[in-house]
Amino acid sequence: MKAIRRFTVRPVLPQALAALDELAANLRWSWHQPTIDLFRDADAAAWDALADPVGLLGDIAPERLADLAADESFVARANALRDDLRAYLAEPRWYQSLTDAPRSIAYFSPEFGIAAALPQYSGGLGILAGDHLKSASDLGVPIVGVGLFYRAGYFRQAISRDGWQEESYPVLDPDGLPMRLVRTPDGAAACVVLALPEGRALTARIWRLDVGRVPLLLLDTDIPENAEELRGVTDRLYGGGGEHRLLQELLLGIGGTRAVKLFSELEDRPEPEVFHSNEGHAGFLGLERAADLIGEGLAFDAALRVVRAGTVFTTHTPVPAGIDRFDAGLVERYFSTDLLPGVDVADVLALGAEPDAAPDAPASFNMAFMGLRLAQRANGVSKLHGEVSRAMFQPLWPGFDAEDVPIASVTNGVHAPTWTDPEVAALPELDAVSDGDLWAVKRRMREHLVDDARRRMSAAWAEENPGIADPAWYRELLDPDVLTIGFARRVPTYKRLTLMLHDEERLRALLTHPERPVQLVIAGKSHPADDEGKRLIQRLVEFSQGLDVRHRIVFLPNYDIGMAQHLYPGCDIWLNNPLRPLEACGTSGMKAAMNGALNLSILDGWWNEYYDDRNGWAIPSADSAGDGAERDALEAASLYDLLEHQVAPRYYERDAAGVPTKWVADMRHTLRTLSPALSADRMVREYVETLYAPAAKAERAISASGYQPARDLAAWVTRVEAAWPSVHVAHVESGGVDATPQLGEDLHVRAYVELGDLVPDDVKVELVHGHLGAGDQLTGIRRLRLDLESHDLGAPATFHGTVRLDRSGSFGYTVRIVPNHALLATPAELGLLATA
């Protein structure tokens, strides 16, 4: 019989075990192995089933609690770990050694992957956000995380008998999770309210989770104050249609900004100086901040300058189809209300307008374009993705070359304490570990993966076939002594889940090779609305059920953090074969590398910048193939060739002790060189040094003296934009080189520039020079700012400069003019350019 209501009753622990409550309440346990060991020792079976201290303490038998309270050694361990946690939360860390750093940073993301017990993530974006918070905590960075609390998370995946993905949505009970309501001084739940069309209102209460030192605020609309249809706004991650998604993103950006402000007041914390939007979903945060500033007396243009100075925007998508777009009429309807007092709906629509849209296309509101227009600093998530992003978003900066587009890159990282297996973490200095011992560690991790895969398959069978025993061959599924390849990720078509099946007979031969077999462990979820992705899963599952291969290939349902923590360490090879360059980063391969796995990947995302010929293999990209089918065929053939002729032979080449010494040498090299580089600590430091600190400095500068610099800059921008059509290069003269220029000669350039109503200080005139490529395009570009020579009333301004010819070969140059102001972060910021 099914219950009509559910809730969690928390236990009253014996006083001797009070430390357990404190340890369970802070999510630091999710990456602190001694605390995990403590909870597992309290009840191993409950821990293995739940991996959640709050749930474990609720399930543990009273008799067991009494035994633990009487166990002086256990109590002493718990108290010592509590004291360690308190010290961790209070002591100065890396960030506290910095000067002039932001007092507080708000980090917005639509999803956060912290622990398996909190299914508030769908894939890499959420896991990245969780790792960002964890490393920020370890480094002492004063971040406040902001997201939504989805009552049904993303979804729980099952696979039917015919291989079709089936979704279910178990409802989460917040009382059974390590979170608590933010409350006002009178004890009431703190809430934020958004005005909606037709006089309606959306109210959300604020849950707080502690991720080490970092508070994470999650907004929840499933409360009595809301009408029934609005209670479901935070029902599921990425669920519902366009209007439902818009409501979620309004709540995340506008409601989240209000929640941070309220939380700062209640906790007597400094308000954030920097706002970081992890993807475009939270982009409306900039409009809420602008509305606040308008309330303080600023005009919209000046408020926009303040907002931009303190905002960082990270794009994760390498394809236009991955960007959230809404019907412009729908957005207009929501902002033609009291949602943001003082903000004109026309200004809102202009921020999301698509400059490259077809004239006859329906008007769309582009969340990424808005995010970039509201942020003075933006980045992609790998070097290659930065290049792709600069090209993709170039229409926002017309006339500028892609390399001038102001989007930098910070390559993602992964949180080492979360993703490094305890056996690897416990290793001494690598040079002190013998090949045999290192190989034995990898073998044990592979065995754990095999055991976990068999358990998961049996559990999935029991769920789909209640009362029927699982197949006997499940006990022989996979082999801990066979070369193990992992492939797990979301299942959009560009990630090519089934590329490995392009030639089924060739794959079958690899799986069943008599001397050098391989085995594949595969997992991943398709979006519930993506039937094409589901068909890919179905095809893979159908192949995996073949009698000759079913012990060598398995699709594990319901890919999540718990599965991943066995899968990454247990694999020898991590496979990734997206369509290049559509993988923004691909952090799963990083997690595998941190456990000594070698990568076998298309040179995309992070692998493009870190592959060094010893940490794995690069699958050649057939970019010049005639069509997608030919490209798939060529790249699949390369994959099979690498596995058959390089990967498997090296793996099975053993010394007298049965150790693959060349393979272990590559494992050792991977652990030594990649572990520091791929760390989220490195990533967060980069964000602090290259984005957060400059943003805080810019925000302080533009906000000084009651925001007078913002008013002055807004007026200057208006003047420059009005005058810019009259700005042009009238004439360029050059001299100083022979008829046949020689290396080492000096080229003198003089440019005559018409400034219209501007003055020379309003512009920067640059000599742009480099090698000549196809179509006289400059490559290897360098820039030299030309000095003002003269400016007589009514005559062109004259600028001059000298460049030494220090490179032989073809040479070309031009002159360009860009706006110049101390509060602009880049020459391209205003999108204004004049060239000779």
Side-chain angles (χ1 to χ4, degrees):
M1 188 172 295
K2 201 167 186 178
I4 62 168
R5 188 178 172 211
R6 56 173 294 179
F7 54 87
T8 299
V9 180
R10 295 200 178 190
V12 178
L13 296 178
Q15 183 57 39
L17 299 178
L20 295 181
D21 263 339
E22 195 169 331
L23 291 168
N26 191 303
L27 282 156
R28 188 211 188 195
W29 60 258
S30 67
W31 72 90
H32 190 246
Q33 193 59 43
T35 305
I36 292 173
D37 292 341
L38 177 78
F39 283 113
R40 178 177 282 113
D41 289 346
D43 189 326
W47 179 262
D48 290 341
L50 299 168
D52 167 24
V54 174
L56 178 142
L57 294 177
D59 277 7
I60 199 166
E63 297 79 13
R64 176 60 179 162
L65 286 175
D67 291 343
L68 292 172
D71 184 336
E72 293 181 2
S73 173
F74 184 88
V75 171
R77 281 173 64 198
N79 289 338
L81 287 169
R82 177 202 57 204
D83 294 345
D84 178 76
L85 173 62
R86 290 175 177 175
Y88 169 86
L89 298 177
E91 66 191 10
R93 304 186 79 80
W94 169 78
Y95 193 86
Q96 282 63 51
S97 69
L98 304 181
T99 56
D100 209 29
R103 293 185 296 274
S104 178
I105 301 139
Y107 180 89
F108 288 66
S109 178
E111 48 178 301
F112 287 92
I114 309 288
L118 282 161
Q120 301 290 298
Y121 58 93
S122 72
L125 178 71
I127 300 298
L128 180 279
D131 283 5
H132 196 108
L133 298 193
K134 291 174 182 178
S135 277
S137 174
D138 290 343
L139 294 170
V141 182
I143 276 181
V144 178
V146 186
L148 304 180
F149 177 62
Y150 306 98
R151 281 301 178 107
Y154 187 39
F155 68 87
R156 189 175 185 283
Q157 180 196 50
I159 303 298
S160 70
R161 287 192 179 188
D162 62 358
W164 193 253
Q165 173 180 292
E166 297 176 334
E167 301 90 26
S168 60
Y169 297 88
V171 175
L172 299 171
D173 176 13
D175 292 327
L177 297 171
M179 52 199 286
R180 64 187 188 277
L181 284 173
V182 176
R183 296 189 180 276
T184 57
D186 63 0
C191 292
V192 295
V193 183
L194 275 64
L196 301 182
E198 292 86 47
R200 298 175 302 152
L202 176 66
T203 303
R205 61 183 173 183
I206 309 165
W207 292 100
R208 172 181 178 170
L209 297 87
D210 289 307
V211 185
R213 301 164 68 113
V214 172
L216 171 58
L217 309 180
L218 300 181
L219 304 185
D220 175 14
T221 63
D222 188 13
I223 55 177
E225 290 88 337
N226 287 321
E228 188 62 34
E229 70 274 10
L230 294 178
R231 293 186 68 158
V233 166
T234 54
D235 56 353
R236 301 172 185 173
L237 176 59
Y238 304 142
E243 187 165 4
H244 186 86
R245 185 76 163 262
L246 177 62
L247 277 164
Q248 289 189 339
E249 299 193 5
L250 290 169
L251 180 62
L252 176 59
I254 296 173
T257 304
R258 294 175 183 176
V260 170
K261 184 175 183 179
L262 177 57
F263 176 73
S264 300
E265 292 172 1
L266 293 173
E267 295 282 321
D268 195 25
R269 291 170 172 257
E271 288 192 30
E273 294 181 279
V274 176
F275 288 74
H276 182 177
S277 179
N278 190 39
E279 253 308 339
H281 310 78
F284 291 120
L285 69 87
L287 290 172
E288 167 64 15
R289 294 179 60 216
D292 263 357
L293 291 163
I294 290 168
E296 294 182 41
L298 269 68
F300 179 79
D301 287 349
L304 183 63
R305 295 296 147 194
V306 179
V307 168
R308 282 178 49 78
T311 302
V312 173
F313 174 73
T314 298
T315 174
H316 291 258
T317 181
V319 289
I323 296 170
D324 270 357
R325 289 177 173 84
F326 297 106
D327 176 77
L330 179 66
V331 175
E332 182 177 14
R333 175 169 159 254
Y334 271 86
F335 282 91
S336 300
T337 62
D338 295 328
L339 178 61
L340 292 180
V343 177
D344 189 271
V345 69
D347 290 326
V348 175
L349 295 175
L351 289 168
E354 298 185 327
D356 55 346
D360 57 345
S364 289
F365 188 92
N366 186 305
M367 293 297 290
F369 282 15
M370 178 180 67
L372 289 165
R373 286 178 171 126
L374 286 171
Q376 195 173 45
R377 288 163 181 82
N379 68 286
V381 291
S382 68
K383 288 182 179 178
L384 179 59
H385 181 236
E387 294 175 17
V388 171
S389 298
R390 287 189 286 275
M392 185 168 77
F393 292 113
Q394 192 174 5
L396 283 174
W397 292 271
F400 285 90
D401 292 335
E403 66 179 33
D404 289 317
V405 169
I407 300 176
S409 63
V410 176
T411 301
N412 283 344
V414 298
H415 186 243
T418 295
W419 298 111
T420 305
D421 190 90
E423 294 224 36
V424 175
L427 288 171
E429 176 66 33
L430 269 178
D431 291 338
V433 181
S434 70
D435 285 357
D437 287 344
L438 188 55
W439 186 240
V441 167
K442 174 54 79 171
R443 204 272 178 190
R444 287 195 296 273
M445 294 191 298
R446 201 181 308 113
E447 189 170 33
H448 294 326
L449 168 59
V450 170
D451 291 343
D452 188 62
R454 291 173 179 175
R455 180 187 63 77
R456 288 178 183 276
M457 290 299 289
S458 292
W461 174 274
E463 189 172 315
E464 288 289 313
N465 305 274
I468 303 175
D470 60 350
W473 63 267
Y474 275 16
R475 260 67 78 195
E476 297 176 0
L477 177 65
L478 306 177
D479 183 332
D481 293 309
V482 167
L483 169 59
T484 303
I485 302 172
F487 183 103
R489 51 192 36 88
R490 292 183 303 111
V491 190
T493 52
Y494 78 85
K495 291 182 183 280
R496 296 193 295 184
L497 171 71
T498 56
L499 185 69
M500 63 186 75
L501 298 182
H502 193 274
D503 184 337
E504 293 187 4
E505 290 310 309
R506 200 155 177 202
L507 176 61
R508 187 173 280 107
L510 288 166
L511 294 171
T512 61
H513 194 285
E515 287 95 32
R516 298 192 299 271
V518 303
Q519 60 191 12
L520 280 156
V521 185
I522 305 161
K525 293 179 176 180
S526 174
H527 187 279
D530 182 7
D531 282 353
E532 183 56 35
K534 293 180 185 180
R535 276 189 282 272
L536 296 179
I537 292 174
Q538 185 178 43
R539 185 182 167 206
L540 188 75
V541 170
E542 287 172 346
F543 176 84
S544 72
Q545 292 171 345
L547 293 178
D548 55 342
V549 297
R550 65 187 185 185
H551 59 303
R552 289 279 184 261
I553 178 171
V554 62
F555 184 90
L556 299 179
N558 205 42
Y559 181 39
D560 66 359
I561 288 174
M563 180 193 296
Q565 289 177 319
H566 289 289
L567 182 52
Y568 300 134
C571 288
D572 302 294
I573 287 286
W574 195 258
L575 175 63
N576 192 24
N577 46 233
L579 280 168
R580 188 179 191 271
L582 303 185
E583 182 81 275
C585 184
T587 54
S588 59
M590 295 179 167
K591 301 176 187 99
M594 282 196 161
N595 290 282
L598 308 183
N599 275 264
L600 173 61
S601 176
I602 295 285
L603 284 171
D604 202 3
W606 76 275
W607 188 235
N608 185 67
E609 67 193 84
Y610 283 106
Y611 166 64
D612 69 2
D613 216 21
R614 287 191 61 195
N615 49 22
W617 289 265
I619 303 170
S621 296
D623 297 353
S624 58
D627 57 26
E630 182 184 1
R631 180 173 182 171
D632 285 353
L634 291 170
E635 294 181 3
S638 297
L639 169 60
Y640 299 137
D641 285 344
L642 285 169
L643 287 171
E644 182 178 355
H645 301 298
Q646 295 189 40
V647 179
R650 178 171 297 191
Y651 183 86
Y652 286 105
E653 183 183 338
R654 308 294 171 93
D655 65 10
V659 177
T661 53
K662 291 182 180 177
W663 188 280
V664 172
D666 290 345
M667 285 176 53
R668 197 184 294 275
H669 171 78
T670 294
L671 289 168
R672 180 180 290 115
T673 60
L674 287 185
S675 291
L678 303 183
S679 166
D681 284 5
R682 182 270 311 156
M683 173 189 74
V684 171
R685 284 191 181 100
E686 280 192 44
Y687 272 106
V688 169
E689 293 165 353
T690 66
L691 294 168
Y692 296 162
K697 182 178 179 182
E699 198 273 343
R700 292 168 188 167
I702 205 166
S703 302
S705 304
Y707 301 109
Q708 191 57 45
R711 294 184 177 92
D712 293 343
L713 177 59
W716 179 85
V717 169
T718 299
R719 180 169 62 85
V720 169
E721 288 177 338
W724 201 258
S726 300
V727 175
H728 64 275
V729 179
H731 180 58
V732 178
E733 296 175 349
S734 64
V737 296
D738 291 337
T740 304
Q742 300 289 319
L743 193 68
E745 291 184 341
D746 288 335
L747 174 69
H748 304 292
V749 175
R750 179 174 287 109
Y752 299 86
V753 175
E754 293 284 0
L755 293 176
D757 293 333
L758 301 183
V759 298
D761 284 347
D762 291 329
V763 301
K764 182 188 294 184
V765 181
E766 295 177 320
L767 178 71
V768 184
H769 60 94
H771 285 297
L772 280 182
D776 287 341
Q777 290 295 310
L778 292 173
T779 62
I781 285 176
R782 298 177 184 177
R783 296 181 184 85
L784 172 71
R785 182 170 185 177
L786 302 182
D787 297 321
L788 178 67
E789 186 175 278
S790 66
H791 183 219
D792 297 325
L793 192 65
T798 307
F799 294 80
H800 75 280
T802 300
V803 62
R804 175 149 294 181
L805 303 181
D806 59 359
R807 295 185 291 184
S808 59
S810 62
F811 178 87
Y813 70 87
T814 188
V815 172
R816 78 173 192 178
I817 312 167
V818 292
N820 178 57
H821 193 286
L823 293 176
L824 297 181
T826 71
E829 185 166 329
L830 300 185
L832 299 176
L833 174 72
T835 59

